[in-house]
Amino acid sequence: MKKILGICLLLLSHWAFAQTQLIRITTRNTSLLYSVNAQGRLIQRYFGQTVTADSLAKSSQEAYLTAGMESLLEPAIRIVHHDGNPSLELKYQSHNASRENNTTHTVISLKDPVYPVSVTLHFESFYEEDVIRAWTEITHTEKSPVLLTAYASSMLHFNAGKYWLTQFHGDWAKEAAMVEESLTPGIKTLESKLGVRANMYQSPMFLLSLNNAAQENTGETIAGTLAWTGNFKFDFQVDEKRALHVSAGMNPYAADYTLKPGEVFTTPAFIFTYSSKGKGQTSRNLQHWAVNYGVLDGRTPRLTLLNNWEATDMHFDEQKLTSLFGGAARLGVDLFLLDDGWFANKFPRNSDNAGLGDWEPNREKLPHGLGHLVKEAGKQGVKFGIWLEPEMVNPKSELYARHPDWIMKLPNRDEHYYRNQLVLDLINPAVQDFVYGIVDKTLSENPGIAYIKWDCNRMLTNTYSPYLKEKQSHLFIAYTRSLYKVMERVRTRYPHLPIMLCSGGGGRTDYGALKYFTEFWPSDNTDPVDRIYIQYGYSHFFPSNTMAAHVTNMGKQSLKFRTDVAMMGKLGYDIKVDDFTPQELQFSRDAVTTYNRIRDIIWYGDLYRLVSPYEAPRAVFQYTSPDKRQAVVFHYLMNTRRTDVFNVVKLQGLDPQRNYRIKEISLFPGTSSSFSNQVYTGDYLMTAGISLTPGRVKPLTSNILEITAE
C-alpha cells in the first residue's frame, strides 16, 4: 500500500512540475506550445507567431483528443481494448527534445492510466524554413490485440473570429483547382477513399486563414499537407464557441486496424507551416523545406527531356524511335523518354487494353531490345528513359492468366475495369518481389537507362486482397506501406536514379511518395492556359523542380506561350520536333539553353505570385535568387479583351538599395522586345512598379523578364 501511495505521490509531483513548464516547439518565426493541465493531460496552449511570454494562452484544448471519454469533439484517436472498452485517456508521462543543426525533434509521451496503451507524439521542427512535421506512434501491451478505428497524425486548435479554408480539388485534367470558403459551425471534411491514385479528386493539402480570407502577402495563414500516398482525411470542426479543431491523417474509412501487443502503429507525417504574412510566405517555407528535406535529391539538377508519346502514341518501331533521338539532340535536351507501348509479346501493348504485367520488350517493335535504344540514344549524346506501370495488370496478359491470386478483385463479383486494367495485390510479398523485379531487371539488363516514368492509372474499386484474407480492413493502409517497401528496395539499389511520379496525371502528389521520387506529373492536361491554373495551385506546396511541365501541341497557343509556361516548372517536351519550322527549332534550342542558365533561380529561389489567374485574365510569377541579385518574371496574358486595362505590377523580394537591369529573354526569332533595357532601383520596382504590357495587349501572349543587379 505504501508503495502504491508513493507512486501516486510521485506522479502527482511529476504532473505538478509539468504544469509549471511549457513544452516548446519553435522555429524562427513560429511557436507551438503545450503544457499539462491539473488532470495530467497534455493541452495546446498556443500556435502562431513566435512568442516569449509563457503566460500567453490562446487555447486550453487537449492536444490529442481521445474517443470514449467526456469530449464532445471529433477524436484524434479511437481504440477498442481487448475487453471491449471503447475509451482512452491519455496522461502526460515525459518529453524530450534533441537538436541537430537546423532540426529539432521533440517527443512527448502519453499513457492511459488504466490500460497499457501508450501514444507518442513526435514533432520535427525545421528552424530556418518555419516548417513542422508531426506524427504519432501508438502501441500497447494488452493481453490480446486492440482495434484502432481512428488514428490522426496530429491535431491543431485555433481561436479566431472567422476561418477561411482553401481546398485543392479537381478530376483528371482538372487538378489542383482552388476553392476558398468560410468555415461555419459543424465539420468540414476533405478526404479520399480511392486508395491508389488517391488524389484524383481531392489533393491532400489545404490552406487555412484566420479572421480573413487568404491573402498573398498579409494575414495569418496555415498551409498543411499529409505525407501519405493513400487515403487521407482532414477534419475542420468549428465548435459552439467558434473554436476550430483540425485533425489530419490517414482516412479510417473501411480501415479498422487490429494492433497486436507490442506492435507500433506509426502514422504518416502531417507537414505544416504558419505565417503572419500570408500564403505567399507559407509557400516559400514549404518550397525551401522540400528541396532541403522533403524531395529525393532536391538540390540535384533535373533532366530536360523529349517524350515520344505525342509523336508516336503506342504505334512505333525501332527505326521510328531512333529517328526521334536526333530531335532530342537538336533540341539540346538531356534525355529521350520512351513512353507506353514498348512491351508484351503474346498480348502486344498496342492499346491500353492489353499487355500490362508482361514487361518484356515487344520483339516486333524492338527486335534488338531496350539496350539497343540506350546505345543509339547515347550516340546522339542523349540519355534514355523508360515508362513503367508496374502496379497494374490487364486481364489480357500472361500475368493475369498465370497469377489470378495476385490481383485485387472481389470474390463472387464481376471484375470492374478502369482504363481496361486492374490493380495487383501489392500487399502480397510475392507481388512486391515481382514489382521490384520489373524495375531491377529493366535497369540491370539495360545499363544506361537514366530515368523512369512510374505511372499508375487506376484507383481502387471492387477491392479485395486475396493475400489479406479476413483482414480486409487493413487493405488501404497496407497497400501504401507496401508501395513504400518496394520503393525502399528500389532506392537501396538505385539511390539517385531520377523517377517521375505519375498517376493518370496528378493522382499522386504528396511528400510521402516524393521521399522516393524526384518529380511528379501534375496533369495530363498540358494546354498552357489550363496549366497556368494547375501549376499555380500546386505552387502553394511544391517547388518548381518537382513539377514536370512539357511543351506539347495541346491547345491553340503559340509555341512561345506553351514554352514560357513549361519553363516555370521542370522543362520537358512531348512534341514532333521534325514538324518544327527552322525558326521554331531555333527558338526551342535557345529556350532550353536559357532555361538551363536560369533554372537555379526558378528551382531554388523565392517564388512571389504577383498576379493570380483567378483574379484577372493574366498571371504574373516572380522567382528571386536567395542573394536577391537575380530574378525572373513570367508574365502571361490569357483570354483578354480589348477593354481590359492592366495596372503596373509591383515586384517583391528585391534589395531596395540595389540597381537592377530589366531585359526580356526567350524571344521568338525575328521579334523584338517591347521592354526597354533599362535600370531601376529595387525600391522603385517594389514601390512604384512597372508595366508588363508596354505594347499592344494581345491575348495568349507571354513574356519572360530577367532582372539582374548591377
Side-chain angles (χ1 to χ4, degrees):
M1 187 69 182
K2 289 182 179 179
K3 185 177 180 180
I4 295 175
L5 181 61
I7 293 173
C8 291
L9 289 172
L10 180 63
L11 288 173
L12 286 171
S13 63
H14 184 58
W15 288 339
F17 172 73
Q19 290 178 59
T20 66
Q21 63 176 335
L22 285 176
I23 303 171
R24 295 178 174 274
I25 297 152
T26 59
T27 65
R28 179 182 293 277
N29 296 297
T30 304
S31 291
L32 175 59
L33 308 180
Y34 294 101
S35 67
V36 181
N37 66 12
Q39 290 74 44
R41 297 181 183 178
L42 184 72
I43 62 170
Q44 179 188 311
R45 288 276 300 279
Y46 175 82
F47 176 50
Q49 190 169 357
T50 295
V51 293
T52 56
D54 288 359
S55 60
L56 185 61
K58 284 191 173 182
S59 172
S60 59
Q61 181 59 61
E62 194 168 350
Y64 195 73
L65 283 166
T66 64
M69 300 298 286
E70 70 280 357
S71 175
L72 303 180
L73 299 171
E74 283 291 297
I77 182 172
R78 182 177 182 270
I79 190 170
V80 181
H81 300 281
H82 76 280
D83 62 1
N85 190 322
S87 66
L88 183 68
E89 184 179 13
L90 293 177
K91 294 200 173 185
Y92 170 85
Q93 296 296 299
S94 64
H95 75 276
N96 63 76
S98 58
R99 182 166 184 173
E100 183 176 351
N101 299 322
N102 183 56
T103 305
T104 300
H105 184 191
T106 303
V107 180
I108 305 174
S109 298
L110 311 174
K111 194 174 185 300
D112 191 301
V114 176
Y115 290 89
V117 176
S118 297
V119 172
T120 305
L121 306 182
H122 292 264
F123 301 89
E124 195 173 25
S125 55
F126 300 84
Y127 184 80
E128 293 293 340
E129 294 83 6
D130 283 324
V131 168
I132 298 173
R133 291 176 71 248
W135 71 97
T136 298
E137 292 178 338
I138 305 164
T139 189
H140 74 96
T141 56
E142 297 191 22
K143 296 178 181 178
S144 55
V146 302
L147 190 67
L148 286 174
T149 65
Y151 28 76
S153 297
S154 186
M155 288 195 80
L156 293 172
H157 307 281
F158 302 93
N159 284 291
K162 296 187 74 173
Y163 310 96
W164 294 81
L165 176 68
T166 303
Q167 61 175 299
F168 298 79
H169 73 101
D171 195 352
W172 179 80
K174 303 173 185 176
E175 292 86 350
M178 297 175 62
V179 173
E180 186 177 38
E181 60 185 332
S182 176
L183 291 175
T184 58
I187 301 175
K188 170 77 174 184
T189 298
L190 306 179
E191 65 177 350
S192 170
K193 299 174 181 175
L194 302 181
V196 181
R197 199 180 172 191
N199 306 2
M200 181 174 175
Y201 295 140
Q202 186 77 48
S203 295
M205 53 197 191
F206 67 86
L207 298 173
L208 177 67
S209 297
L210 308 183
N211 297 308
N212 295 292
Q215 301 296 318
E216 193 67 28
N217 300 309
T218 59
E220 292 187 275
T221 304
I222 298 91
T225 186
L226 191 70
W228 182 245
T229 319
N231 291 350
F232 59 86
K233 185 179 184 184
F234 301 125
D235 279 335
F236 304 86
Q237 183 173 15
V238 179
D239 66 21
E240 72 285 354
K241 296 181 180 179
R242 297 204 64 80
L244 173 63
H245 314 279
V246 179
S247 66
M250 295 181 289
N251 195 337
Y253 166 78
D256 291 353
Y257 193 91
T258 303
L259 187 65
K260 298 176 183 177
E263 180 184 357
V264 179
F265 184 93
T266 304
T267 70
F270 173 51
I271 302 164
F272 59 99
T273 183
Y274 164 90
S275 172
S276 61
K277 298 178 181 179
K279 59 186 179 180
Q281 188 60 53
T282 61
S283 299
R284 292 185 287 276
N285 292 348
L286 287 170
Q287 290 158 2
H288 292 317
W289 171 84
V291 296
N292 291 326
Y293 303 100
V295 180
L296 181 67
D297 294 336
R299 290 196 172 271
T300 299
R302 273 38 178 163
L303 300 173
T304 54
L305 61 83
L306 173 65
N307 195 336
N308 71 296
W309 182 255
E310 282 207 8
T312 67
D313 194 76
M314 296 186 191
H315 309 295
F316 53 79
D317 57 24
E318 200 170 76
Q319 184 177 357
K320 183 177 285 188
L321 288 178
T322 54
S323 71
L324 297 177
F325 297 161
R330 291 194 299 277
L331 272 177
V333 296
D334 301 308
L335 179 134
F336 179 88
L337 173 62
L338 174 57
D339 213 297
D340 196 355
W342 59 269
F343 52 92
N345 287 289
K346 184 175 182 180
F347 302 100
R349 182 70 168 176
N350 296 320
S351 66
D352 65 13
N353 69 348
L356 277 180
D358 302 341
W359 294 99
E360 69 282 347
N362 180 272
R363 289 185 292 271
E364 184 176 340
K365 294 180 181 179
L366 307 177
H368 297 96
L370 293 176
H372 173 74
L373 297 179
V374 174
K375 292 176 183 177
E376 290 301 310
K379 290 178 183 178
Q380 299 277 1
V382 176
K383 299 178 188 293
F384 184 83
I386 196 74
W387 178 95
L388 294 172
E389 192 175 3
E391 299 165 69
M392 303 289 158
V393 62
N394 285 126
K396 199 173 180 180
S397 69
E398 293 183 80
L399 179 65
Y400 178 89
R402 192 166 61 246
H403 283 292
D405 57 319
W406 282 11
I407 297 165
M408 285 192 172
K409 56 180 181 177
L410 285 168
N412 306 317
R413 301 287 186 189
D414 291 338
E415 292 179 351
H416 176 255
Y417 306 131
Y418 186 89
R419 201 175 180 257
N420 301 303
Q421 64 195 58
L422 295 162
V423 182
L424 292 176
D425 187 1
L426 197 60
I427 302 163
N428 186 334
V431 177
Q432 294 174 32
D433 291 341
F434 171 77
V435 171
Y436 169 76
I438 292 167
V439 179
D440 187 43
K441 184 173 185 288
T442 303
L443 294 174
S444 61
E445 291 185 355
N446 305 283
I449 287 180
Y451 183 95
I452 289 175
K453 177 181 177 181
W454 185 300
D455 214 338
C456 172
N457 281 293
R458 197 202 196 290
M459 70 298 295
L460 288 178
T461 59
N462 295 43
T463 305
Y464 178 90
S465 163
Y467 180 79
L468 284 176
K469 298 181 174 64
E470 73 279 359
K471 291 187 177 180
Q472 294 302 310
S473 66
H474 286 207
L475 189 153
F476 288 117
I477 295 174
Y479 187 96
T480 303
R481 288 178 174 174
S482 298
L483 173 65
Y484 294 163
K485 286 180 182 178
V486 171
M487 295 311 302
E488 287 284 354
R489 293 175 67 183
V490 170
R491 285 310 178 190
T492 298
R493 182 76 185 270
Y494 307 98
H496 302 294
L497 180 80
I499 306 180
M500 178 203 288
L501 177 66
C502 181
S503 187
R508 282 176 166 172
T509 50
D510 64 89
Y511 284 114
L514 286 173
K515 177 182 177 182
Y516 307 105
F517 293 81
T518 51
E519 61 209 63
F520 67 90
W521 183 237
S523 178
D524 285 341
N525 184 350
T526 55
D527 181 294
V529 172
D530 292 338
R531 265 300 182 110
I532 288 171
Y533 288 92
I534 292 168
Q535 292 172 193
Y536 180 87
Y538 282 126
S539 75
H540 289 79
F541 294 87
F542 300 101
S544 296
N545 67 340
T546 63
M547 289 188 273
H550 292 179
V551 181
T552 75
N553 280 322
M554 189 177 288
K556 299 179 180 179
Q557 300 82 7
S558 68
L559 178 62
K560 173 175 168 52
F561 189 89
R562 286 177 274 148
T563 304
D564 287 355
V565 172
M567 286 177 72
M568 204 171 61
K570 201 228 74 171
L571 179 65
Y573 289 80
D574 192 346
I575 203 165
K576 294 181 180 179
V577 178
D578 288 344
D579 289 349
F580 281 169
T581 66
Q583 292 83 3
E584 288 174 332
L585 180 59
Q586 183 63 51
F587 167 76
S588 298
R589 281 186 59 86
D590 292 344
V592 172
T593 301
T594 298
Y595 179 78
N596 287 333
R597 181 173 60 80
I598 65 175
R599 66 187 186 186
D600 282 2
I601 304 171
I602 300 168
W603 293 351
Y604 309 127
D606 291 324
L607 168 63
Y608 298 91
R609 292 180 293 263
L610 303 181
V611 178
S612 166
Y614 285 90
E615 297 173 357
R618 70 167 173 170
V620 184
F621 304 82
Q622 175 189 335
Y623 295 88
T624 304
S625 64
D627 62 6
K628 301 182 185 296
R629 295 192 62 84
Q630 294 175 288
V632 180
V633 174
F634 293 87
H635 175 228
Y636 308 106
L637 289 172
M638 296 183 294
N639 296 306
T640 58
R641 300 177 301 170
R642 288 179 177 271
T643 55
D644 286 331
V645 176
F646 297 109
N647 297 325
V648 298
V649 174
K650 297 178 182 179
L651 305 188
Q652 298 178 32
L654 302 176
D655 183 341
Q657 304 302 318
R658 281 182 170 145
N659 292 325
Y660 291 92
R661 183 174 297 279
I662 298 181
K663 178 183 178 182
E664 184 173 4
I665 58 176
S666 198
L667 290 167
F668 198 83
T671 63
S672 58
S673 176
S674 298
F675 295 88
S676 56
N677 190 10
Q678 286 188 292
V679 176
Y680 304 88
T681 66
D683 181 58
Y684 179 88
L685 291 172
M686 293 189 292
T687 304
I690 59 171
S691 172
L692 297 181
T693 53
R696 180 183 172 187
V697 175
K698 297 181 181 179
L700 303 177
T701 57
S702 56
N703 312 95
I704 303 177
L705 303 180
E706 186 174 14
I707 301 171
T708 307
E710 296 194 335

